[in-house]
Amino acid sequence: MAASDESGSPVFRLIYQSHSRIPKSDRPTVLGEIFSTARSRNKGADITGALLITDHYFAQVLEGPQGTVEELYGRISADPRHERLAVLDSGTVDERAFGKWSMAQVSAAGHADIPLHTANGEIHPAAPSHLTAEQSKVFATMRNAIGADTV
């Protein structure tokens, strides 16, 4: 049986890493634009996920319908603001780990810039102690790939 989300559609997850080409002086502005655009577009496209940023690397998880995720990854791959992209993991999963996040920015330590929602709808600060086991597993994959500190 194929994995599905609340709508009954299959859930595809893709995790990738890349090397940032954004000059340090431009990062606040450029990253702000990236998150604003991603959150707006992803919500309408049924894409959820998180983006981990360090000084030199990105690691991102995207979840949603397979064709939509793959199309988005194709556009992301062509973006000149990063290079040396590598897919870390991809495939169908039982459920979304980031179902309430159109795109969260995650620090190297695992803190997100938007609150976490638990399965029963409670909202918690985005601290590692409130991560689900699946979120922790995905974040560990992302952090390990780009050499970010673990919690």
Side-chain angles (χ1 to χ4, degrees), residues 62-127:
L62 302 167
E63 299 173 323
Q66 184 170 353
T68 307
V69 169
E70 289 174 339
E71 180 181 320
L72 175 58
Y73 180 70
R75 288 194 311 274
I76 289 169
S77 297
D79 190 320
R81 296 174 290 194
H82 61 161
E83 62 191 0
R84 301 192 312 251
L85 281 78
V87 173
L88 304 172
D89 188 31
S90 67
T92 305
V93 294
D94 290 334
E95 62 186 350
R96 293 175 190 252
F98 306 99
K100 302 289 184 185
W101 296 1
S102 59
M103 187 52 54
Q105 177 180 346
V106 181
S107 71
H111 301 277
D113 67 338
I114 55 179
L116 292 172
H117 294 74
T118 62
N120 63 2
E122 296 173 354
I123 299 174
H124 293 284

Short mmCIF file of all heavy atoms in Angstrom, two decimals, residues 62-127:
data_model
loop_
_atom_site.label_atom_id
_atom_site.label_comp_id
_atom_site.label_asym_id
_atom_site.label_seq_id
_atom_site.Cartn_x
_atom_site.Cartn_y
_atom_site.Cartn_z
N LEU A 62 11.88 18.27 1.33
CA LEU A 62 10.64 18.63 0.65
C LEU A 62 9.70 17.44 0.72
O LEU A 62 10.11 16.30 0.46
CB LEU A 62 10.91 18.97 -0.82
CG LEU A 62 11.91 20.10 -1.08
CD1 LEU A 62 12.31 20.12 -2.55
CD2 LEU A 62 11.31 21.43 -0.66
N GLU A 63 8.43 17.69 1.02
CA GLU A 63 7.43 16.63 1.09
C GLU A 63 6.19 17.05 0.32
O GLU A 63 5.80 18.21 0.36
CB GLU A 63 7.02 16.36 2.55
CG GLU A 63 8.15 15.90 3.43
CD GLU A 63 7.74 15.79 4.89
OE1 GLU A 63 6.95 16.64 5.37
OE2 GLU A 63 8.23 14.87 5.54
N GLY A 64 5.58 16.09 -0.36
CA GLY A 64 4.35 16.37 -1.09
C GLY A 64 4.13 15.36 -2.20
O GLY A 64 4.76 14.30 -2.21
N PRO A 65 3.26 15.68 -3.16
CA PRO A 65 3.06 14.79 -4.30
C PRO A 65 4.37 14.63 -5.08
O PRO A 65 5.09 15.62 -5.29
CB PRO A 65 2.00 15.51 -5.14
CG PRO A 65 1.32 16.45 -4.17
CD PRO A 65 2.38 16.85 -3.19
N GLN A 66 4.68 13.43 -5.49
CA GLN A 66 5.98 13.16 -6.10
C GLN A 66 6.29 14.05 -7.29
O GLN A 66 7.38 14.63 -7.37
CB GLN A 66 6.10 11.68 -6.52
CG GLN A 66 7.47 11.36 -7.08
CD GLN A 66 7.70 9.88 -7.29
OE1 GLN A 66 6.90 9.03 -6.90
NE2 GLN A 66 8.83 9.55 -7.89
N GLY A 67 5.39 14.17 -8.22
CA GLY A 67 5.64 14.99 -9.40
C GLY A 67 5.90 16.45 -9.04
O GLY A 67 6.78 17.10 -9.62
N THR A 68 5.17 16.95 -8.07
CA THR A 68 5.32 18.34 -7.64
C THR A 68 6.66 18.55 -6.96
O THR A 68 7.36 19.54 -7.22
CB THR A 68 4.16 18.74 -6.71
OG1 THR A 68 2.92 18.44 -7.34
CG2 THR A 68 4.20 20.21 -6.37
N VAL A 69 7.04 17.61 -6.09
CA VAL A 69 8.34 17.71 -5.40
C VAL A 69 9.48 17.62 -6.41
O VAL A 69 10.44 18.41 -6.36
CB VAL A 69 8.47 16.61 -4.32
CG1 VAL A 69 9.91 16.53 -3.78
CG2 VAL A 69 7.50 16.88 -3.17
N GLU A 70 9.38 16.68 -7.35
CA GLU A 70 10.45 16.53 -8.34
C GLU A 70 10.56 17.75 -9.25
O GLU A 70 11.66 18.17 -9.60
CB GLU A 70 10.26 15.25 -9.14
CG GLU A 70 10.53 14.02 -8.30
CD GLU A 70 10.22 12.70 -9.00
OE1 GLU A 70 9.43 12.70 -9.98
OE2 GLU A 70 10.77 11.68 -8.57
N GLU A 71 9.43 18.33 -9.61
CA GLU A 71 9.44 19.54 -10.43
C GLU A 71 10.10 20.70 -9.67
O GLU A 71 10.92 21.45 -10.21
CB GLU A 71 8.01 19.91 -10.84
CG GLU A 71 7.93 21.15 -11.70
CD GLU A 71 6.49 21.49 -12.06
OE1 GLU A 71 5.69 20.57 -12.34
OE2 GLU A 71 6.16 22.69 -12.03
N LEU A 72 9.74 20.84 -8.39
CA LEU A 72 10.34 21.88 -7.57
C LEU A 72 11.85 21.66 -7.43
O LEU A 72 12.64 22.60 -7.57
CB LEU A 72 9.68 21.93 -6.18
CG LEU A 72 10.30 22.91 -5.18
CD1 LEU A 72 10.30 24.34 -5.72
CD2 LEU A 72 9.55 22.82 -3.85
N TYR A 73 12.26 20.43 -7.20
CA TYR A 73 13.69 20.14 -7.08
C TYR A 73 14.41 20.48 -8.39
O TYR A 73 15.54 20.99 -8.37
CB TYR A 73 13.94 18.69 -6.69
CG TYR A 73 15.41 18.39 -6.55
CD1 TYR A 73 16.16 18.92 -5.50
CD2 TYR A 73 16.07 17.60 -7.50
CE1 TYR A 73 17.52 18.67 -5.39
CE2 TYR A 73 17.42 17.35 -7.39
CZ TYR A 73 18.15 17.88 -6.34
OH TYR A 73 19.50 17.64 -6.24
N GLY A 74 13.78 20.25 -9.51
CA GLY A 74 14.37 20.63 -10.79
C GLY A 74 14.62 22.13 -10.88
O GLY A 74 15.68 22.57 -11.34
N ARG A 75 13.65 22.93 -10.42
CA ARG A 75 13.83 24.39 -10.41
C ARG A 75 14.91 24.80 -9.41
O ARG A 75 15.74 25.66 -9.70
CB ARG A 75 12.52 25.10 -10.08
CG ARG A 75 11.50 25.05 -11.22
CD ARG A 75 10.35 26.02 -11.04
NE ARG A 75 9.70 26.00 -9.74
CZ ARG A 75 8.71 25.20 -9.38
NH1 ARG A 75 8.23 24.30 -10.24
NH2 ARG A 75 8.17 25.27 -8.18
N ILE A 76 14.90 24.16 -8.25
CA ILE A 76 15.91 24.45 -7.22
C ILE A 76 17.30 24.11 -7.76
O ILE A 76 18.26 24.86 -7.54
CB ILE A 76 15.61 23.65 -5.93
CG1 ILE A 76 14.37 24.23 -5.22
CG2 ILE A 76 16.81 23.63 -5.00
CD1 ILE A 76 13.84 23.37 -4.09
N SER A 77 17.42 23.00 -8.46
CA SER A 77 18.72 22.57 -9.01
C SER A 77 19.32 23.60 -9.96
O SER A 77 20.54 23.71 -10.08
CB SER A 77 18.58 21.24 -9.74
OG SER A 77 18.17 20.23 -8.86
N ALA A 78 18.46 24.34 -10.65
CA ALA A 78 18.93 25.33 -11.62
C ALA A 78 19.22 26.69 -10.99
O ALA A 78 19.70 27.59 -11.68
CB ALA A 78 17.88 25.48 -12.73
N ASP A 79 18.95 26.86 -9.71
CA ASP A 79 19.12 28.14 -9.05
C ASP A 79 20.62 28.43 -8.86
O ASP A 79 21.33 27.66 -8.22
CB ASP A 79 18.42 28.11 -7.69
CG ASP A 79 18.33 29.46 -7.03
OD1 ASP A 79 19.30 30.24 -7.10
OD2 ASP A 79 17.28 29.75 -6.41
N PRO A 80 21.11 29.55 -9.39
CA PRO A 80 22.54 29.87 -9.31
C PRO A 80 23.01 30.29 -7.92
O PRO A 80 24.21 30.48 -7.72
CB PRO A 80 22.70 31.02 -10.31
CG PRO A 80 21.37 31.68 -10.34
CD PRO A 80 20.36 30.56 -10.16
N ARG A 81 22.11 30.39 -6.96
CA ARG A 81 22.53 30.79 -5.61
C ARG A 81 23.17 29.65 -4.83
O ARG A 81 23.65 29.86 -3.72
CB ARG A 81 21.34 31.37 -4.84
CG ARG A 81 20.82 32.65 -5.48
CD ARG A 81 19.58 33.15 -4.82
NE ARG A 81 18.47 32.26 -5.12
CZ ARG A 81 17.19 32.55 -4.92
NH1 ARG A 81 16.86 33.74 -4.40
NH2 ARG A 81 16.24 31.70 -5.22
N HIS A 82 23.18 28.45 -5.44
CA HIS A 82 23.88 27.34 -4.81
C HIS A 82 24.41 26.41 -5.89
O HIS A 82 24.09 26.54 -7.07
CB HIS A 82 23.02 26.62 -3.78
CG HIS A 82 21.78 26.00 -4.32
ND1 HIS A 82 21.10 25.02 -3.67
CD2 HIS A 82 21.08 26.20 -5.46
CE1 HIS A 82 20.04 24.66 -4.36
NE2 HIS A 82 20.01 25.37 -5.46
N GLU A 83 25.28 25.49 -5.47
CA GLU A 83 25.94 24.58 -6.40
C GLU A 83 26.20 23.24 -5.70
O GLU A 83 25.95 23.10 -4.52
CB GLU A 83 27.27 25.19 -6.87
CG GLU A 83 28.24 25.41 -5.72
CD GLU A 83 29.45 26.25 -6.07
OE1 GLU A 83 29.57 26.67 -7.24
OE2 GLU A 83 30.29 26.48 -5.16
N ARG A 84 26.69 22.29 -6.47
CA ARG A 84 27.05 20.96 -5.94
C ARG A 84 25.90 20.32 -5.17
O ARG A 84 26.07 19.83 -4.05
CB ARG A 84 28.32 21.04 -5.09
CG ARG A 84 29.51 21.60 -5.86
CD ARG A 84 30.84 21.44 -5.17
NE ARG A 84 30.91 21.82 -3.78
CZ ARG A 84 31.55 22.89 -3.32
NH1 ARG A 84 32.15 23.71 -4.15
NH2 ARG A 84 31.58 23.13 -2.04
N LEU A 85 24.74 20.28 -5.80
CA LEU A 85 23.58 19.64 -5.18
C LEU A 85 23.75 18.13 -5.18
O LEU A 85 24.28 17.56 -6.14
CB LEU A 85 22.30 19.99 -5.93
CG LEU A 85 21.70 21.37 -5.63
CD1 LEU A 85 22.45 22.45 -6.37
CD2 LEU A 85 20.24 21.39 -5.96
N ALA A 86 23.29 17.51 -4.12
CA ALA A 86 23.33 16.05 -4.02
C ALA A 86 22.09 15.58 -3.26
O ALA A 86 21.78 16.09 -2.18
CB ALA A 86 24.58 15.58 -3.28
N VAL A 87 21.35 14.65 -3.84
CA VAL A 87 20.19 14.08 -3.17
C VAL A 87 20.69 13.12 -2.09
O VAL A 87 21.49 12.22 -2.37
CB VAL A 87 19.26 13.36 -4.17
CG1 VAL A 87 18.14 12.63 -3.43
CG2 VAL A 87 18.68 14.35 -5.17
N LEU A 88 20.24 13.32 -0.86
CA LEU A 88 20.63 12.49 0.26
C LEU A 88 19.68 11.31 0.44
O LEU A 88 20.10 10.23 0.85
CB LEU A 88 20.66 13.31 1.55
CG LEU A 88 21.54 14.55 1.55
CD1 LEU A 88 21.32 15.37 2.80
CD2 LEU A 88 23.00 14.14 1.40
N ASP A 89 18.40 11.54 0.14
CA ASP A 89 17.39 10.50 0.30
C ASP A 89 16.14 10.93 -0.45
O ASP A 89 15.84 12.12 -0.52
CB ASP A 89 17.07 10.32 1.79
CG ASP A 89 16.17 9.11 2.07
OD1 ASP A 89 16.27 8.12 1.32
OD2 ASP A 89 15.39 9.17 3.03
N SER A 90 15.44 9.98 -1.01
CA SER A 90 14.15 10.27 -1.63
C SER A 90 13.33 9.00 -1.68
O SER A 90 13.87 7.91 -1.73
CB SER A 90 14.33 10.84 -3.05
OG SER A 90 14.86 9.86 -3.91
N GLY A 91 12.03 9.19 -1.61
CA GLY A 91 11.12 8.05 -1.70
C GLY A 91 9.80 8.34 -1.00
O GLY A 91 9.60 9.41 -0.42
N THR A 92 8.91 7.40 -1.09
CA THR A 92 7.59 7.51 -0.48
C THR A 92 7.70 7.21 1.01
O THR A 92 8.42 6.31 1.42
CB THR A 92 6.62 6.52 -1.15
OG1 THR A 92 6.63 6.77 -2.56
CG2 THR A 92 5.21 6.68 -0.63
N VAL A 93 6.99 8.00 1.81
CA VAL A 93 6.99 7.83 3.27
C VAL A 93 5.57 7.64 3.77
O VAL A 93 4.61 7.97 3.08
CB VAL A 93 7.67 9.04 3.96
CG1 VAL A 93 9.15 9.10 3.61
CG2 VAL A 93 6.98 10.35 3.62
N ASP A 94 5.44 7.11 4.97
CA ASP A 94 4.13 6.84 5.55
C ASP A 94 3.31 8.10 5.78
O ASP A 94 2.10 8.09 5.61
CB ASP A 94 4.27 6.06 6.86
CG ASP A 94 4.75 4.65 6.63
OD1 ASP A 94 4.52 4.10 5.53
OD2 ASP A 94 5.37 4.08 7.55
N GLU A 95 3.99 9.17 6.22
CA GLU A 95 3.30 10.42 6.45
C GLU A 95 4.30 11.56 6.46
O GLU A 95 5.50 11.35 6.57
CB GLU A 95 2.53 10.41 7.77
CG GLU A 95 3.39 10.22 9.00
CD GLU A 95 2.59 10.07 10.27
OE1 GLU A 95 1.37 10.30 10.25
OE2 GLU A 95 3.18 9.73 11.29
N ARG A 96 3.80 12.76 6.33
CA ARG A 96 4.66 13.93 6.35
C ARG A 96 5.24 14.12 7.75
O ARG A 96 4.51 14.05 8.74
CB ARG A 96 3.88 15.20 5.98
CG ARG A 96 3.39 15.23 4.56
CD ARG A 96 2.52 16.48 4.36
NE ARG A 96 1.82 16.44 3.10
CZ ARG A 96 2.14 17.21 2.06
NH1 ARG A 96 3.12 18.09 2.15
NH2 ARG A 96 1.47 17.12 0.94
N ALA A 97 6.52 14.43 7.80
CA ALA A 97 7.14 14.79 9.08
C ALA A 97 6.93 16.27 9.36
O ALA A 97 6.97 16.70 10.50
CB ALA A 97 8.63 14.46 9.05
N PHE A 98 6.69 17.07 8.30
CA PHE A 98 6.61 18.52 8.43
C PHE A 98 5.29 19.04 7.86
O PHE A 98 5.26 20.03 7.16
CB PHE A 98 7.81 19.16 7.73
CG PHE A 98 9.11 18.61 8.23
CD1 PHE A 98 9.78 17.63 7.53
CD2 PHE A 98 9.63 19.04 9.44
CE1 PHE A 98 10.96 17.09 8.02
CE2 PHE A 98 10.81 18.51 9.94
CZ PHE A 98 11.47 17.53 9.23
N GLY A 99 4.21 18.34 8.16
CA GLY A 99 2.92 18.63 7.58
C GLY A 99 2.38 20.03 7.84
O GLY A 99 1.55 20.52 7.09
N LYS A 100 2.83 20.70 8.87
CA LYS A 100 2.34 22.05 9.19
C LYS A 100 3.30 23.14 8.74
O LYS A 100 3.05 24.31 8.97
CB LYS A 100 2.12 22.18 10.71
CG LYS A 100 1.16 21.17 11.29
CD LYS A 100 -0.26 21.46 10.86
CE LYS A 100 -1.20 20.47 11.55
NZ LYS A 100 -2.55 20.60 11.10
N TRP A 101 4.40 22.79 8.11
CA TRP A 101 5.42 23.76 7.73
C TRP A 101 5.47 23.90 6.22
O TRP A 101 5.94 23.01 5.53
CB TRP A 101 6.79 23.32 8.19
CG TRP A 101 7.00 23.22 9.67
CD1 TRP A 101 6.10 23.45 10.65
CD2 TRP A 101 8.22 22.84 10.31
NE1 TRP A 101 6.68 23.25 11.87
CE2 TRP A 101 7.98 22.87 11.69
CE3 TRP A 101 9.48 22.49 9.85
CZ2 TRP A 101 8.96 22.56 12.62
CZ3 TRP A 101 10.45 22.18 10.78
CH2 TRP A 101 10.20 22.22 12.14
N SER A 102 5.05 25.04 5.66
CA SER A 102 5.21 25.25 4.22
C SER A 102 6.69 25.37 3.89
O SER A 102 7.12 24.97 2.82
CB SER A 102 4.44 26.47 3.74
OG SER A 102 4.88 27.64 4.40
N MET A 103 7.48 25.89 4.81
CA MET A 103 8.94 25.84 4.74
C MET A 103 9.48 26.54 5.98
O MET A 103 9.33 27.74 6.14
CB MET A 103 9.50 26.53 3.49
CG MET A 103 11.00 26.35 3.32
SD MET A 103 11.60 24.63 3.39
CE MET A 103 10.59 23.83 2.14
N ALA A 104 10.09 25.76 6.85
CA ALA A 104 10.69 26.33 8.06
C ALA A 104 12.18 26.48 7.86
O ALA A 104 12.81 25.67 7.19
CB ALA A 104 10.43 25.42 9.26
N GLN A 105 12.74 27.52 8.44
CA GLN A 105 14.19 27.67 8.48
C GLN A 105 14.64 27.01 9.77
O GLN A 105 14.14 27.32 10.84
CB GLN A 105 14.60 29.13 8.47
CG GLN A 105 16.10 29.32 8.57
CD GLN A 105 16.51 30.77 8.55
OE1 GLN A 105 15.73 31.65 8.21
NE2 GLN A 105 17.73 31.04 8.92
N VAL A 106 15.61 26.12 9.68
CA VAL A 106 16.07 25.38 10.84
C VAL A 106 17.52 25.71 11.10
O VAL A 106 18.34 25.69 10.18
CB VAL A 106 15.90 23.86 10.61
CG1 VAL A 106 16.36 23.07 11.82
CG2 VAL A 106 14.46 23.53 10.27
N SER A 107 17.84 25.98 12.36
CA SER A 107 19.22 26.25 12.72
C SER A 107 19.99 24.94 12.76
O SER A 107 19.41 23.85 12.79
CB SER A 107 19.30 26.93 14.08
OG SER A 107 18.97 26.02 15.11
N ALA A 108 21.30 25.04 12.81
CA ALA A 108 22.14 23.85 12.86
C ALA A 108 21.83 22.99 14.09
O ALA A 108 22.00 21.78 14.07
CB ALA A 108 23.62 24.23 12.86
N ALA A 109 21.33 23.62 15.15
CA ALA A 109 21.00 22.88 16.36
C ALA A 109 19.61 22.27 16.32
O ALA A 109 19.21 21.56 17.24
CB ALA A 109 21.12 23.78 17.58
N GLY A 110 18.83 22.53 15.28
CA GLY A 110 17.52 21.93 15.16
C GLY A 110 16.35 22.82 15.52
O GLY A 110 15.21 22.38 15.50
N HIS A 111 16.61 24.07 15.85
CA HIS A 111 15.54 25.00 16.18
C HIS A 111 14.95 25.58 14.90
O HIS A 111 15.69 25.98 14.01
CB HIS A 111 16.05 26.14 17.06
CG HIS A 111 16.65 25.66 18.34
ND1 HIS A 111 15.90 25.36 19.45
CD2 HIS A 111 17.94 25.41 18.68
CE1 HIS A 111 16.70 24.95 20.42
NE2 HIS A 111 17.94 24.97 19.98
N ALA A 112 13.65 25.65 14.81
CA ALA A 112 12.99 26.21 13.63
C ALA A 112 12.48 27.61 13.93
O ALA A 112 12.25 27.97 15.08
CB ALA A 112 11.83 25.32 13.21
N ASP A 113 12.31 28.39 12.86
CA ASP A 113 11.83 29.75 13.04
C ASP A 113 10.31 29.86 13.12
O ASP A 113 9.77 30.93 13.29
CB ASP A 113 12.36 30.67 11.94
CG ASP A 113 11.80 30.34 10.56
OD1 ASP A 113 11.34 29.21 10.35
OD2 ASP A 113 11.83 31.22 9.69
N ILE A 114 9.61 28.75 13.00
CA ILE A 114 8.16 28.73 13.20
C ILE A 114 7.83 27.61 14.16
O ILE A 114 8.59 26.65 14.29
CB ILE A 114 7.39 28.58 11.86
CG1 ILE A 114 7.83 27.34 11.09
CG2 ILE A 114 7.55 29.81 11.00
CD1 ILE A 114 7.08 27.13 9.79
N PRO A 115 6.70 27.69 14.88
CA PRO A 115 6.39 26.68 15.89
C PRO A 115 6.12 25.30 15.30
O PRO A 115 5.68 25.17 14.16
CB PRO A 115 5.12 27.21 16.56
CG PRO A 115 4.97 28.60 16.12
CD PRO A 115 5.71 28.74 14.82
N LEU A 116 6.38 24.31 16.11
CA LEU A 116 6.06 22.93 15.75
C LEU A 116 4.63 22.63 16.18
O LEU A 116 4.18 23.08 17.22
CB LEU A 116 6.98 21.95 16.48
CG LEU A 116 8.44 21.96 16.07
CD1 LEU A 116 9.24 21.09 17.03
CD2 LEU A 116 8.59 21.43 14.67
N HIS A 117 3.92 21.85 15.38
CA HIS A 117 2.58 21.37 15.73
C HIS A 117 2.70 19.87 15.97
O HIS A 117 3.23 19.15 15.15
CB HIS A 117 1.59 21.61 14.59
CG HIS A 117 1.34 23.04 14.32
ND1 HIS A 117 2.24 23.85 13.69
CD2 HIS A 117 0.26 23.81 14.59
CE1 HIS A 117 1.73 25.06 13.57
NE2 HIS A 117 0.55 25.07 14.10
N THR A 118 2.18 19.42 17.08
CA THR A 118 2.17 17.99 17.35
C THR A 118 1.00 17.35 16.62
O THR A 118 0.15 18.03 16.06
CB THR A 118 2.03 17.71 18.86
OG1 THR A 118 0.78 18.24 19.31
CG2 THR A 118 3.17 18.33 19.65
N ALA A 119 0.96 16.03 16.64
CA ALA A 119 -0.10 15.30 15.94
C ALA A 119 -1.49 15.70 16.44
O ALA A 119 -2.45 15.71 15.69
CB ALA A 119 0.11 13.80 16.12
N ASN A 120 -1.59 16.07 17.73
CA ASN A 120 -2.91 16.45 18.25
C ASN A 120 -3.17 17.94 18.14
O ASN A 120 -4.12 18.46 18.70
CB ASN A 120 -3.08 15.97 19.69
CG ASN A 120 -2.10 16.61 20.65
OD1 ASN A 120 -1.29 17.45 20.25
ND2 ASN A 120 -2.16 16.20 21.91
N GLY A 121 -2.30 18.67 17.39
CA GLY A 121 -2.55 20.07 17.11
C GLY A 121 -1.98 21.06 18.10
O GLY A 121 -2.12 22.26 17.91
N GLU A 122 -1.33 20.59 19.17
CA GLU A 122 -0.72 21.52 20.11
C GLU A 122 0.45 22.24 19.44
O GLU A 122 1.16 21.66 18.64
CB GLU A 122 -0.20 20.77 21.34
CG GLU A 122 -1.28 20.12 22.16
CD GLU A 122 -0.71 19.27 23.28
OE1 GLU A 122 0.53 19.09 23.35
OE2 GLU A 122 -1.50 18.77 24.09
N ILE A 123 0.65 23.49 19.80
CA ILE A 123 1.75 24.26 19.26
C ILE A 123 2.81 24.40 20.34
O ILE A 123 2.52 24.76 21.48
CB ILE A 123 1.29 25.66 18.80
CG1 ILE A 123 0.24 25.51 17.69
CG2 ILE A 123 2.47 26.50 18.33
CD1 ILE A 123 -0.38 26.83 17.26
N HIS A 124 4.06 24.08 19.97
CA HIS A 124 5.19 24.18 20.89
C HIS A 124 6.26 25.06 20.27
O HIS A 124 6.37 25.15 19.07
CB HIS A 124 5.80 22.79 21.14
CG HIS A 124 4.91 21.88 21.90
ND1 HIS A 124 4.71 21.98 23.25
CD2 HIS A 124 4.14 20.85 21.48
CE1 HIS A 124 3.86 21.04 23.63
NE2 HIS A 124 3.50 20.34 22.58
N PRO A 125 7.08 25.67 21.13
CA PRO A 125 8.24 26.35 20.56
C PRO A 125 9.04 25.33 19.76
O PRO A 125 9.01 24.14 20.07
CB PRO A 125 9.03 26.82 21.78
CG PRO A 125 8.12 26.66 22.94
CD PRO A 125 7.07 25.67 22.56
N ALA A 126 9.71 25.78 18.75
CA ALA A 126 10.43 24.85 17.89
C ALA A 126 11.77 24.47 18.51
O ALA A 126 12.84 24.80 18.02
CB ALA A 126 10.63 25.46 16.52
N ALA A 127 11.69 23.79 19.61
CA ALA A 127 12.88 23.32 20.30
C ALA A 127 13.06 21.83 20.04
O ALA A 127 12.08 21.11 19.85
CB ALA A 127 12.74 23.58 21.79
#
